[in-house]
Amino acid sequence: MAFNEGPLVLTGTATILVLAYFTRRVAFVYRCANAASLQLDRRLEEASTICGANWTTTMRRVTLRQLHVFEAVARHLSFSRAAAELHLTQPAVSMQVKSLEAELKTTLLLRGRDGVQLTEAGETLVRHAGEVLASVERMEQDI
């Protein structure tokens, strides 16, 4: 029996070798993702303790996307500049940050006419978010 995918035809031993290669590759990717997830859990747990959030009910719903958007806003101290950098609209960035604040049940940014300022919780989270995002980037490079 042959496995047919376009012009490539694999039979017998070749099929087994290809499947073994991809199985090992998937296992490697899974191990890397699992290690990064554990590291992410530790960092988020630390941040939740400092921010006063309940880790089990809140931090596990925080997404990498929310952290990435929040980190950009905190770096620029502007929703508009963060949106331009991320190729998103300003309302989309604002919604991500509001969603993150709702998950954490705390205010991370003070919004005003002159831009944004980080609260104490925001400063703590941006430090941890930077470490988490750098860890994820290293994982992606390793894979």
Side-chain angles (χ1 to χ4, degrees), residues 54-136:
N54 183 345
W55 161 246
T56 55
T57 59
T58 1
M59 293 302 292
R60 290 197 184 258
R61 287 181 284 204
V62 170
T63 66
L64 289 175
R65 182 71 175 157
Q66 289 171 328
L67 291 178
H68 185 68
V69 168
F70 173 71
E71 187 273 332
V73 172
R75 190 167 15 91
H76 291 289
L77 294 176
S78 164
F79 283 92
S80 299
R81 285 188 293 243
E85 176 188 311
L86 299 170
H87 304 289
L88 296 171
T89 63
Q90 185 274 329
V93 170
S94 183
M95 286 174 55
Q96 288 287 325
V97 173
K98 279 186 182 182
S99 175
L100 179 61
E101 288 177 325
E103 286 295 326
L104 297 175
K105 297 179 178 69
T106 190
T107 302
L108 300 170
L109 299 167
L110 298 175
R111 297 148 177 89
R113 288 181 173 241
D114 301 330
V116 242
Q117 289 181 324
L118 291 167
T119 63
E120 187 176 337
E123 288 177 11
T124 301
L125 185 61
V126 78
R127 213 173 35 253
H128 289 286
E131 293 171 8
V132 167
L133 295 170
S135 177
V136 169

